[in-house]
């Protein structure tokens, strides 16, 4: 179980009794959080910061503990913020500033100087807020009484984003082959991606997978086929084509675990030695939280794995999607998003069918794929692009809908969705912002989750939704003269 360290702030000015009470209140708070949020994250109390040395010791512990994904700080009393400078300078993990109190209400009849000196978050948290701003340390502020539901929800959200950032820091992407020739948006500064997000982008030839495919044993193959038959409906007689995909999946799984990769890319221009495009294999792997990017798109491979981690434990689907084609009927505009094949099986709203059909691109054998209709409901579409001197995240609110009519001649998995606030503004905004044709769609995550990730990683964020107006389009793209 991953954890958050809870570090309170105080000082010795108010006496030993006061510090004992601070520790007791924090202990109670941490116990409460473990009870309420223990299914997502665990909390552990560190010594109250009363001096710069204690702060440094606490932060050393935070930084050396691999299970720790972030820190929650709260100034119970007044903790002079110079004591936090050296500790905070060491902190390289997500930080939540919890602006709360041990008491919900003011005891108007009883309050005296002792009570006020003990319970002065309004005083101490503002001193602390100043030093965070002064040191330019990315952080999330959550304000309110700690037992209130909205506060607990926000702490849970922070924990999920922190776990996603932790995966990001450990992210290793296996890129098989390079980017698809001539495509711009799938490219990016791999070095900067590692510096900023921790993503190790590692190249291997697809021959590594071909070798492993050749070595798949009958036992391994039978086990994978049994798994497919359990999860999916076999709607083809071409079992050999399905077995081929099963071998690909076994090979990818083996390679990824041997090389500790959480995401991978391939490129249909570089599949030497493979009989099919790895469609179904990628669909099934994505449903298990493995990031995937087609056409060598390392950014979306890593980003999709990070966002799937963020969505863990929530209802809804999250995964890679590619924009394709529109229905432009006035007032009823829809987008059909899919990929050649690789739509994550997690989007299925019913048991997917395994089908085998020609692909019409790539010049390979007919690939097996999972075919299904998608879940519906409110969601987001989010992508990351490289602007040359910085990365930009674009997040659009969308509504996933059922396709108005069946598409019997398009046997692939797909989703359909409506743009917000409408087609004209929503898609223009996406284009102005430089949005990619590769993105992550999620019915589990919200704009707020993405905003927190962007804030904590120091990434530019552009949002599009019902609050976007025609006048806003100007701000998404202003040429520099
Ligand atoms: Mn593409």
């Amino acid at each position: 179980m991953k954890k958050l360290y809870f570090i309170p702030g105080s000082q010795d000015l108010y006496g030993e009794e006061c510090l004992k009470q601070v520790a007791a209140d924090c202990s109670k708070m941490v116990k409460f959080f473990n009870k309420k949020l223990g299914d997502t994250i665990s909390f552990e109390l560190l010594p109250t910061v009363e001096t710069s040395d204690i702060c440094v010791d606490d932060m050393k512990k935070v930084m050396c503990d691999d299970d720790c994904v972030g820190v929650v700080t709260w100034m119970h009393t007044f903790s002079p913020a110079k004591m936090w400078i050296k500790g905070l300078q060491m902190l390289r993990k997500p930080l939540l500033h919890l602006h709360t109190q041990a008491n919900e209400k003011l005891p108007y009849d009883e309050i005296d100087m002792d009570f006020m000196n003990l319970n002065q978050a309004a005083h101490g948290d503002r001193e602390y807020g100043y030093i965070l701003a002064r040191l330019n340390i990315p952080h999330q502020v959550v304000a309110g009484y700690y037992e209130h539901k909205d506060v607990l929800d926000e702490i849970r959200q922070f924990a999920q984003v922190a776990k996603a950032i932790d995966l990001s820091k450990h992210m290793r992407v296996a890129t098989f082959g390079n980017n698809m020739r001539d495509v711009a948006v799938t490219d990016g500064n791999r070095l900067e991606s590692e510096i900023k997000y921790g993503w190790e982008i590692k190249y291997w030839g697809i021959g590594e997978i071909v070798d492993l495919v050749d070595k798949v044993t009958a036992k391994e193959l039978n086990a994978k086929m049994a798994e497919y038959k359990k999860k999916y409906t076999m709607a083809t007689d071409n079992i050999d084509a399905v077995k081929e995909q099963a071998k690909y999946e076994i090979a990818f799984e083996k390679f990824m675990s041997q090389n500790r990769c959480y995401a991978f890319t391939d490129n249909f221009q570089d599949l030497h030695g493979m009989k099919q495009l790895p469609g179904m294999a990628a669909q099934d792997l994505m449903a298990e939280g493995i990031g995937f990017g087609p056409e060598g798109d390392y950014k979306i491979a890593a980003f999709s794995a990070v966002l799937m981690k963020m969505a863990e434990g929530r209802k809804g689907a999250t995964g890679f999607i590619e924009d394709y084609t529109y229905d432009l009927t006035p007032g009823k505009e829809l987008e059909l998003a899919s990929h050649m094949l690789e739509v994550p099986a997690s989007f299925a709203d019913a048991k997917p069918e395994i089908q085998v059909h020609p692909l019409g691109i790539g010049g390979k054998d007919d690939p097996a794929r999972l075919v299904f209709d998608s879940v519906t409901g409110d969601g987001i579409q989010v992508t990351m692009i490289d602007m040359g001197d910085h990365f930009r995240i674009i997040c659009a609110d969308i509504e996933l809908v059922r396709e108005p009519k069946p598409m019997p001649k398009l046997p692939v998995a797909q989703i359909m969705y409506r743009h917000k606030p409408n087609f004209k503004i929503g898609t223009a905004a996406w284009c102005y912002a430089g949005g990619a044709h590769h993105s992550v769609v999620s019915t589990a995550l919200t704009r707020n989750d993405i905003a927190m990730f962007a804030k904590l990683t120091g990434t530019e964020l552009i949002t599009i939704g019902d609050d976007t107006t025609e006048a806003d389009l100007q701000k998404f793209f202003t040429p520099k003269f």
Side-chain angles (χ1 to χ4, degrees), residues 180 183 186 294-295 320 322 324 339 437-438:
M180 182 179 166
V183 178
T186 61
E295 298 143 33
F320 163 75
E322 177 145 359
Y324 264 94
H339 188 250
H437 58 88
H438 289 176

mmCIF file of all heavy atoms in Angstrom, residues 180 183 186 294-295 320 322 324 339 437-438, ligand 1:
data_model
loop_
_atom_site.group_PDB
_atom_site.id
_atom_site.type_symbol
_atom_site.label_atom_id
_atom_site.label_comp_id
_atom_site.label_asym_id
_atom_site.label_seq_id
_atom_site.Cartn_x
_atom_site.Cartn_y
_atom_site.Cartn_z
ATOM 1 N N MET A 180 6.016 6.791 -36.623
ATOM 2 C CA MET A 180 5.540 6.694 -37.995
ATOM 3 C C MET A 180 6.159 7.838 -38.792
ATOM 4 O O MET A 180 6.237 8.964 -38.310
ATOM 5 C CB MET A 180 4.012 6.831 -38.004
ATOM 6 C CG MET A 180 3.412 6.704 -39.369
ATOM 7 S SD MET A 180 1.613 6.843 -39.219
ATOM 8 C CE MET A 180 1.184 7.089 -40.937
ATOM 9 N N VAL A 183 4.884 11.887 -39.251
ATOM 10 C CA VAL A 183 3.840 12.356 -38.324
ATOM 11 C C VAL A 183 4.467 13.264 -37.264
ATOM 12 O O VAL A 183 5.496 12.931 -36.674
ATOM 13 C CB VAL A 183 3.125 11.177 -37.643
ATOM 14 C CG1 VAL A 183 2.078 11.683 -36.648
ATOM 15 C CG2 VAL A 183 2.446 10.306 -38.695
ATOM 16 N N THR A 186 3.033 12.978 -32.775
ATOM 17 C CA THR A 186 3.449 11.853 -31.934
ATOM 18 C C THR A 186 4.884 12.025 -31.442
ATOM 19 O O THR A 186 5.363 11.236 -30.632
ATOM 20 C CB THR A 186 3.370 10.517 -32.705
ATOM 21 O OG1 THR A 186 4.255 10.599 -33.829
ATOM 22 C CG2 THR A 186 1.964 10.235 -33.192
ATOM 23 N N PRO A 294 0.153 4.122 -30.503
ATOM 24 C CA PRO A 294 0.435 3.643 -31.847
ATOM 25 C C PRO A 294 1.350 4.627 -32.570
ATOM 26 O O PRO A 294 1.539 5.758 -32.099
ATOM 27 C CB PRO A 294 -0.948 3.603 -32.501
ATOM 28 C CG PRO A 294 -1.700 4.698 -31.828
ATOM 29 C CD PRO A 294 -1.139 4.828 -30.423
ATOM 30 N N GLU A 295 1.888 4.213 -33.688
ATOM 31 C CA GLU A 295 2.710 5.095 -34.527
ATOM 32 C C GLU A 295 3.887 5.682 -33.758
ATOM 33 O O GLU A 295 4.332 6.790 -34.018
ATOM 34 C CB GLU A 295 1.836 6.216 -35.123
ATOM 35 C CG GLU A 295 0.742 5.679 -36.035
ATOM 36 C CD GLU A 295 -0.560 6.473 -35.913
ATOM 37 O OE1 GLU A 295 -0.477 7.676 -35.672
ATOM 38 O OE2 GLU A 295 -1.629 5.874 -36.058
ATOM 39 N N PHE A 320 -6.530 4.924 -24.188
ATOM 40 C CA PHE A 320 -6.128 5.562 -25.436
ATOM 41 C C PHE A 320 -7.248 5.537 -26.481
ATOM 42 O O PHE A 320 -7.942 4.545 -26.637
ATOM 43 C CB PHE A 320 -4.902 4.823 -26.000
ATOM 44 C CG PHE A 320 -4.664 5.116 -27.455
ATOM 45 C CD1 PHE A 320 -4.134 6.337 -27.840
ATOM 46 C CD2 PHE A 320 -5.001 4.188 -28.431
ATOM 47 C CE1 PHE A 320 -3.935 6.625 -29.191
ATOM 48 C CE2 PHE A 320 -4.792 4.467 -29.774
ATOM 49 C CZ PHE A 320 -4.260 5.680 -30.158
ATOM 50 N N GLU A 322 -8.197 7.359 -30.592
ATOM 51 C CA GLU A 322 -7.738 8.168 -31.725
ATOM 52 C C GLU A 322 -8.933 8.782 -32.442
ATOM 53 O O GLU A 322 -9.900 8.105 -32.750
ATOM 54 C CB GLU A 322 -6.940 7.258 -32.681
ATOM 55 C CG GLU A 322 -6.486 7.970 -33.916
ATOM 56 C CD GLU A 322 -5.126 7.491 -34.407
ATOM 57 O OE1 GLU A 322 -4.539 6.611 -33.761
ATOM 58 O OE2 GLU A 322 -4.672 8.008 -35.431
ATOM 59 N N TYR A 324 -11.183 10.159 -35.370
ATOM 60 C CA TYR A 324 -11.295 9.788 -36.777
ATOM 61 C C TYR A 324 -12.243 10.625 -37.616
ATOM 62 O O TYR A 324 -11.821 11.400 -38.454
ATOM 63 C CB TYR A 324 -11.632 8.297 -36.930
ATOM 64 C CG TYR A 324 -10.379 7.493 -37.165
ATOM 65 C CD1 TYR A 324 -9.695 6.881 -36.124
ATOM 66 C CD2 TYR A 324 -9.855 7.376 -38.450
ATOM 67 C CE1 TYR A 324 -8.527 6.181 -36.341
ATOM 68 C CE2 TYR A 324 -8.680 6.677 -38.678
ATOM 69 C CZ TYR A 324 -8.020 6.079 -37.624
ATOM 70 O OH TYR A 324 -6.873 5.393 -37.847
ATOM 71 N N HIS A 339 -9.506 3.377 -33.532
ATOM 72 C CA HIS A 339 -8.169 3.364 -34.102
ATOM 73 C C HIS A 339 -8.219 2.276 -35.140
ATOM 74 O O HIS A 339 -9.280 1.685 -35.354
ATOM 75 C CB HIS A 339 -7.080 3.102 -33.050
ATOM 76 C CG HIS A 339 -5.711 3.285 -33.625
ATOM 77 N ND1 HIS A 339 -4.852 2.259 -33.851
ATOM 78 C CD2 HIS A 339 -5.112 4.395 -34.089
ATOM 79 C CE1 HIS A 339 -3.750 2.746 -34.409
ATOM 80 N NE2 HIS A 339 -3.882 4.028 -34.569
ATOM 81 N N HIS A 437 -4.260 14.136 -32.424
ATOM 82 C CA HIS A 437 -5.302 13.187 -32.823
ATOM 83 C C HIS A 437 -5.183 11.902 -32.021
ATOM 84 O O HIS A 437 -5.906 10.951 -32.244
ATOM 85 C CB HIS A 437 -5.245 12.903 -34.330
ATOM 86 C CG HIS A 437 -3.925 12.357 -34.795
ATOM 87 N ND1 HIS A 437 -3.643 11.022 -34.807
ATOM 88 C CD2 HIS A 437 -2.810 12.989 -35.228
ATOM 89 C CE1 HIS A 437 -2.399 10.846 -35.254
ATOM 90 N NE2 HIS A 437 -1.877 12.021 -35.501
ATOM 91 N N HIS A 438 -4.228 11.883 -31.105
ATOM 92 C CA HIS A 438 -4.127 10.784 -30.142
ATOM 93 C C HIS A 438 -4.453 11.361 -28.771
ATOM 94 O O HIS A 438 -3.907 12.400 -28.401
ATOM 95 C CB HIS A 438 -2.705 10.216 -30.091
ATOM 96 C CG HIS A 438 -2.327 9.443 -31.306
ATOM 97 N ND1 HIS A 438 -1.078 8.917 -31.487
ATOM 98 C CD2 HIS A 438 -3.039 9.095 -32.403
ATOM 99 C CE1 HIS A 438 -1.021 8.270 -32.643
ATOM 100 N NE2 HIS A 438 -2.201 8.377 -33.219
HETATM 101 MN MN1 LIG B 1 -2.638 8.438 -35.383
#
